[in-house]
Amino acid sequence: MSGKIQPVSGAKPLSMWQQYGPSEKTVRGIVIGGITGGIEICITFPTEYVKTQLQLDERSSTPKFKGPIDCVKQTVKGHGFFGLYRGLSVLLYGSIPKSSFRFGTFEYLKSQAADERGNLSPVMRLLCGLGAGLSEAVFAVTPMETVKVKFIHDQGLAQPKYKGFVHGVGCIVKAEGLGGIYKGVTATMAKQGSNQAIRFFVMETLKDWYRGGDNTQTISKPIVGLMGAVAGAASVYGNTPIDVVKTRMQGLEAKKYKNTLDCAMQIWKKEGFFAFYKGTVPRLSRVCLDVGITFMIYDSIIEFLDHYWKKQ
């Protein structure tokens, strides 16, 4: 007997999505998410670079940068325009699996929790987003972010020691072992989990509100992009403090902190509350653009594939 679901006699043939259901949605989430991640990081990386430099520029010592614009000026002056892309290879290598895990996990969890109309309850929007964030944190984001932060931090030294991605990773593993690329895993899980919980909650809520609960209604791409920007902004203000702690835990001076909690306490005592919001402006610009672009690209590819297979 064939493993493929056979339509009832006289009924309309089932589409590929209908035949395979959730597993097909999971696969497309993994594949399309990876493609989407690679495209968006090439567009938004300079703002990520500036955000990381500002977060590493501790308030307790003499600040090296006066702000985002000054950081850009000093970087371009000292390293040229492409200095703003230092560490891109690391993020590019990691962005594809990161987005694959994010969307693949979310699509899988959504397929298990959605109602008959394909919609999620408010609580499940949060939980599905949380699951997506934790998945990407463990399997992709932590090692990627650790290496990226060390690369960017290394550039600020008088004599940078990392000559490239492979050489840099080799130096880190040789000096600290495999655990060296898993620094700040707790903070990263907290950051990514809260990030995606907020983003997917806001995104799914706005989509549901716009379509009036009708999951079959198409939303124009500019509106999807605007919704993504709103979701991105909400996540920035919601979890930038966690992002700052994560960055410090992954920097070259992470050894001075006993653990994630100690890092947060030291920042609070030595630098004050507002130190937890360092890099908010460049992060806000990057994340809004990032999330808006990501959902636009993702939804566009999904619609194209759905349209294509309906014709099969």
Side-chain angles (χ1 to χ4, degrees):
M1 180 178 177
S2 174
K4 185 178 288 188
I5 298 174
Q6 300 297 324
V8 177
S9 179
K12 184 178 178 180
L14 296 175
S15 68
M16 190 174 78
W17 299 142
Q18 291 171 314
Q19 288 181 31
Y20 295 100
S23 62
E24 191 66 47
K25 290 182 179 180
T26 301
V27 170
R28 72 178 183 179
I30 292 172
V31 175
I32 299 171
I35 295 172
T36 300
I39 295 173
E40 65 83 14
I41 198 59
C42 290
I43 298 172
T44 64
F45 185 79
T47 55
E48 173 67 16
Y49 175 90
V50 172
K51 180 223 54 166
T52 302
Q53 286 285 27
L54 291 176
Q55 289 180 344
L56 291 170
D57 189 28
E58 298 186 27
R59 292 170 63 94
S60 57
S61 58
T62 303
K64 180 180 179 181
F65 306 114
K66 298 177 182 179
I69 296 178
D70 182 53
C71 180
V72 171
K73 289 181 178 179
Q74 287 194 44
T75 300
V76 173
K77 183 178 180 180
H79 304 280
F81 173 76
F82 288 105
L84 293 171
Y85 279 88
R86 180 66 185 271
L88 172 63
S89 60
V90 180
L91 223 58
L92 189 59
Y93 298 151
S95 287
I96 294 176
K98 177 183 74 172
S99 291
S100 292
F101 277 109
R102 176 191 302 172
F103 284 100
T105 300
F106 183 79
E107 290 287 359
Y108 171 75
L109 294 176
K110 182 178 180 179
S111 70
Q112 302 299 306
D115 60 23
E116 64 278 359
R117 301 178 71 184
N119 296 318
L120 293 169
S121 67
V123 172
M124 292 313 301
R125 291 169 196 163
L126 278 172
L127 292 179
C128 289
L130 177 63
L134 293 177
S135 173
E136 67 179 13
V138 173
F139 296 106
V141 178
T142 299
M144 175 191 73
E145 285 284 304
T146 301
V147 176
K148 180 211 71 176
V149 171
K150 289 183 184 296
F151 264 53
I152 292 177
H153 204 170
D154 179 64
Q155 181 171 297
L157 301 178
Q159 296 182 325
K161 61 181 180 179
Y162 300 144
K163 299 176 182 179
F165 176 76
V166 176
H167 178 260
V169 172
C171 288
I172 295 170
V173 173
K174 183 177 180 180
E176 306 175 46
L178 289 176
I181 58 175
Y182 261 88
K183 295 293 186 181
V185 63
T186 302
T188 302
M189 289 177 69
K191 176 203 168 186
Q192 295 306 121
S194 59
N195 238 353
Q196 302 313 324
I198 293 171
R199 290 178 190 175
F200 279 109
F201 173 81
V202 173
M203 197 68 190
E204 291 292 313
T205 298
L206 290 175
K207 282 185 174 182
D208 188 60
W209 166 77
Y210 187 87
R211 294 182 299 208
D214 182 3
N215 201 41
T216 62
Q217 188 177 122
T218 301
I219 303 176
S220 67
K221 294 304 163 287
I223 296 298
V224 170
L226 181 60
M227 290 177 176
V230 172
S235 69
V236 167
Y237 284 107
N239 81 344
T240 287
I242 298 175
D243 188 42
V244 171
V245 173
K246 174 202 69 71
T247 299
R248 295 286 182 86
M249 287 297 293
Q250 293 173 328
L252 298 177
E253 299 177 0
K255 292 182 179 180
K256 68 182 181 180
Y257 305 119
K258 297 177 182 178
N259 49 47
T260 301
L261 180 60
D262 179 60
C263 177
M265 293 301 295
Q266 286 197 43
I267 293 174
W268 177 273
K269 293 178 180 178
K270 297 178 181 179
E271 305 172 51
F273 171 78
F274 290 105
F276 286 108
Y277 278 89
K278 292 198 72 174
T280 298
V281 174
R283 187 185 179 213
L284 185 65
S285 61
R286 183 192 72 81
V287 170
C288 288
L289 182 63
D290 173 350
V291 180
I293 290 174
T294 296
F295 278 108
M296 286 177 68
I297 296 174
Y298 186 80
D299 280 15
S300 295
I301 300 176
I302 288 293
E303 284 185 13
F304 169 77
L305 292 179
D306 280 343
H307 179 72
Y308 172 79
W309 264 291
K310 281 179 180 178
K311 294 181 177 180
Q312 302 306 304

